[in-house]
Amino acid sequence: MPKELLSGIEKAPQRALLKALGLTDDDLSKPLIAVISAHSEIVPGHTHLDKIADAVKAGVYAAGGTPIVIPCIGICDGIAMGHAGMKFSLPSRELIADSVESMLLGHAFDGAVLVPNCDKIVPGMLMGAARTNIPSVVCSGGPMLSGVHKGEKITLSTVFEGVGRVKAGKLNIDELSEIENRACPGCGSCAGMYTANSLNCLCEAIGMALPGNGTIPAVSSERIRLAKRAGAAVIKLVANDIRPRMILTKEAFMNALAADMAIGASSNTVLHLLALADECGVKITLDTVGEVAEKTPNLCRLSPASAFDMQDLDRAGGIMAVLHQLDKKGLIFGKALTVTNKDLSKSFKGAAVLDEKVIRPLDAPHSEKGGIAVLRGNLCEDGAVVKRSAVDDKALTFIGKARVFNSEEEAYGAIMSGNIKKGDAVVIRYEGPKGGPGMREMLSPTAALTGMGLDKDVALITDGRFSGATRGLCVGHVSPEAADGGRIALIEDGDKIEIDITKGKLSVDINAKDLKLRERKWKPKDDQVSGWLLRYKYLVTGAETGAVLKKKF
């Protein structure tokens, strides 16, 4: 904490208030470290963060600092999925960033340890730390273990897909109930390479977390030891005045993107890396994402793309082993600074791949191209994204007839009632950042399609987004979105839609005359939104920019 805040006779009132917390003069003479904990009793990934925060505090104390825990909100995307609650998930990223900025600057902390775990909380905290630019370390809560059903691993996506299997007559209600009871065996972020785990892994690659942050299981004692080391690390950062924007450079973002493509991360990472780069004044675009994807091999396929989970990735060598592999191909900026106060290469140089089934060798990748593909075309002039690593090879190209829906609920109803057939291109619009508002994830409809066995024969295209648990031919982030009058707003049932992931194309066949007629008739959808979402609707930008809020009005 700056000396001017606590020193001198004029600051006696501030010292008095801090002493009301039980802090001594000796405590106040040391660096004051905010331990920003997203602990709550509603999010499975956060229910144990009080223990992680306690371990961070122990590390701070041992290294000569004074830790102070402050709270942070967090929404569980799985619980919010499939209803109006999901409208608040992506917007909560901005609330979290604002609250981190407010608490850190409002109380003039010397440093911070960010203790998140799930989806929007990780990027929200990082964005707040980047704004304040005080020494900070991320220490996440770690992934959940997979459940086991009939001797096979299961995760949350198994439950979502199970709903579709029941509707298709492939699973009975009793067995779904058994899967429901076994899929999530305890605390932690859900066990697959979903959004939360993707981001926690990328925190290692981008340099803001210690090695192991993304993969060490939540229930492991090593997770507690990691938290203690994170507490000690922030004291060294304060002593050396190493700040987030010294770490979050263009090279660091390129490292994160390379890791993203190699591990087959969630497509949501594109939104969050773009948003974080914007906070740091670093120029990263969808074109940048596409360029990295083209030259980075996909080395890992974890749930939902395979039966491997985060625990498997951890025992196979973790993110440092992946980075070491990528470095051999010249895809990593090894001199990028990290919260270890050393170059990234110092962290990964001793890492080895211990299971080549989980982390493929460079000469035998799952794909020569990365896990996420950026698409362009007359249906998405500003871009769209698809998790290529979760698409069956036979579905990389697709031509089908549009089935158009103006909300997730409409589309889900049609899917569950059996009205979607092979060859359909399901279009869900008015679910973008503005149109939702809030850009909901579409895991319920995508999982239902997969459970019904349609994931190889049906495409889903939306201006909304997808959970990392989604698999199949699912294209999201279509920009411009329908609420902005993008081409997706003009599609009608029966229009021919073509997707070619190998060529990065997404197009709709509408002749020029019909297009002009549709443009003249189009009117924005009246969503009758209120509260915080009304403000969000008028402040948010498109998915192609990371759905950040406008900075000028």
Side-chain angles (χ1 to χ4, degrees):
M1 185 172 282
K3 290 181 180 179
E4 63 268 19
L5 185 70
L6 292 180
S7 61
I9 190 171
E10 299 88 351
K11 297 302 184 289
Q14 285 86 349
R15 292 194 296 272
L17 288 168
L18 289 166
K19 288 178 179 179
L21 301 173
L23 298 177
T24 66
D25 285 324
D26 185 51
D27 292 330
L28 298 180
S29 70
K30 300 172 183 177
L32 294 190
I33 305 299
V35 181
I36 307 179
S37 172
H39 169 253
S40 76
E41 295 182 351
I42 188 59
V43 184
H46 291 188
T47 188
H48 65 305
L49 292 188
D50 54 341
K51 297 178 178 62
I52 302 298
D54 283 345
V56 169
K57 288 173 65 179
V60 172
Y61 279 127
T66 299
I68 300 175
V69 173
I70 58 178
C72 176
I73 65 167
I75 291 175
C76 175
D77 279 19
I79 295 173
M81 198 75 66
H83 60 92
M86 179 51 75
K87 292 177 182 285
F88 290 89
S89 175
L90 183 59
S92 74
R93 184 187 71 183
E94 312 309 316
L95 297 178
I96 292 164
D98 290 349
S99 64
V100 168
E101 177 186 19
S102 300
M103 294 300 283
L104 291 182
L105 295 185
H107 301 97
F109 282 101
D110 292 296
V113 179
L114 313 173
V115 186
N117 210 25
C118 294
D119 295 63
K120 303 320 143 309
I121 300 86
V122 180
M125 283 190 178
L126 280 169
M127 289 163 67
R131 287 182 201 167
T132 60
N133 203 31
I134 70 168
S136 302
V137 178
V138 174
C139 181
S140 302
M144 185 186 292
L145 299 179
S146 290
V148 178
H149 175 63
K150 293 184 175 179
E152 294 184 357
K153 289 181 180 180
I154 58 172
T155 62
L156 180 64
S157 60
T158 314
V159 189
F160 272 98
E161 292 174 10
V163 175
R165 293 177 64 199
V166 169
K167 282 291 182 180
K170 299 179 179 181
L171 188 72
N172 63 55
I173 293 291
D174 290 340
E175 191 165 7
L176 177 61
S177 179
E178 191 174 341
I179 290 170
E180 172 188 329
N181 290 331
R182 296 176 180 272
C184 300
C187 65
S189 46
C190 296
M193 186 56 78
Y194 309 152
T195 303
N197 290 326
S198 296
L199 289 164
N200 288 325
C201 288
L202 297 191
C203 284
E204 294 185 47
I206 210 167
M208 286 297 295
L210 298 177
N213 181 75
T215 60
I216 297 171
V219 296
S220 170
S221 62
E222 176 60 17
R223 178 60 58 174
I224 299 299
R225 296 195 292 274
L226 179 75
K228 290 179 179 179
R229 292 196 295 272
V234 77
I235 299 301
K236 291 182 180 179
L237 296 181
V238 171
N240 291 284
D241 196 28
I242 295 174
R243 300 168 180 267
R245 291 204 294 270
M246 296 167 65
I247 294 171
L248 296 169
T249 61
K250 179 67 175 285
E251 290 75 19
F253 281 96
M254 298 303 283
N255 288 340
L257 284 172
D260 191 324
M261 299 306 159
I263 63 177
S266 165
S267 58
N268 281 315
T269 57
V270 175
L271 286 174
H272 301 316
L273 287 175
L274 291 175
L276 180 57
D278 183 70
E279 293 291 350
C280 299
V282 174
K283 185 67 172 177
I284 297 288
T285 67
L286 278 182
D287 288 337
T288 313
V289 176
E291 289 164 8
V292 175
E294 286 297 305
K295 63 184 180 182
T296 307
N298 177 216
L299 302 180
C300 306
R301 290 194 176 174
L302 277 66
S303 175
S306 79
F308 292 125
D309 60 15
M310 296 304 296
Q311 189 177 6
D312 292 315
L313 179 57
D314 188 61
R315 67 170 175 77
I319 297 304
M320 290 302 123
V322 173
L323 294 179
H324 199 180
Q325 289 291 91
L326 296 178
D327 185 60
K328 295 174 184 176
K329 196 174 172 66
L331 295 171
I332 295 297
F333 293 91
K335 293 188 179 299
L337 183 62
T338 76
V339 292
T340 66
N341 196 17
K342 297 177 182 177
D343 294 351
L344 181 62
S345 62
K346 299 293 193 301
S347 294
F348 68 64
K349 69 177 183 180
V353 174
L354 304 177
D355 187 340
E356 290 190 343
K357 292 180 181 178
V358 180
I359 305 174
R360 289 278 191 91
L362 287 173
D363 60 0
H366 289 286
S367 169
E368 294 292 343
K369 296 182 180 181
I372 294 174
V374 175
L375 308 182
R376 300 277 186 180
N378 69 352
L379 183 48
C380 56
E381 292 172 328
D382 291 338
V385 299
V386 60
K387 187 172 178 178
R388 173 168 39 201
S389 59
V391 178
D392 188 272
D393 288 344
K394 296 177 181 178
L396 292 174
T397 58
F398 175 90
I399 297 176
K401 290 185 178 181
R403 293 291 309 281
V404 183
F405 304 94
N406 287 334
S407 71
E408 177 188 4
E409 287 83 358
E410 289 181 18
Y412 189 61
I415 293 167
M416 296 300 283
S417 60
N419 290 329
I420 300 301
K421 308 297 182 184
K422 290 183 178 182
D424 285 344
V426 177
V427 176
I428 306 178
R429 61 192 181 193
Y430 295 105
E431 291 287 5
K434 295 180 184 178
M439 204 180 184
R440 288 192 289 179
E441 290 183 346
M442 304 289 154
L443 180 56
S444 294
T446 62
L449 288 171
T450 298
M452 292 175 171
L454 293 171
D455 53 304
K456 298 179 181 65
D457 303 293
V458 170
L460 194 150
I461 302 106
T462 181
D463 50 10
R465 59 196 180 92
F466 299 113
S467 163
T470 285
R471 57 177 169 144
L473 184 51
C474 301
V475 179
H477 308 195
V478 170
S479 301
E481 63 173 292
D484 276 337
R487 192 67 53 81
I488 191 172
L490 307 178
I491 297 174
E492 296 180 356
D493 282 345
D495 286 344
K496 187 172 75 172
I497 292 178
E498 183 172 357
I499 303 169
D500 190 334
I501 295 176
T502 60
K503 295 181 179 179
K505 300 293 184 182
L506 172 62
S507 60
V508 58
D509 186 10
I510 309 174
N511 67 54
K513 182 180 178 181
D514 285 345
L515 182 60
K516 289 189 178 297
L517 285 173
R518 295 182 193 184
E519 287 173 344
R520 283 199 291 266
K521 289 191 295 183
W522 177 77
K523 292 181 181 179
K525 180 185 176 185
D526 182 9
D527 47 30
Q528 299 180 333
V529 67
S530 61
W532 151 234
L533 290 181
L534 179 61
R535 282 181 282 140
Y536 182 81
K537 174 180 178 177
Y538 287 106
L539 292 174
V540 72
T541 60
E544 77 280 2
T545 65
V548 297
L549 300 187
K550 296 175 184 175
K551 292 182 170 57
K552 295 182 179 179
F553 310 101

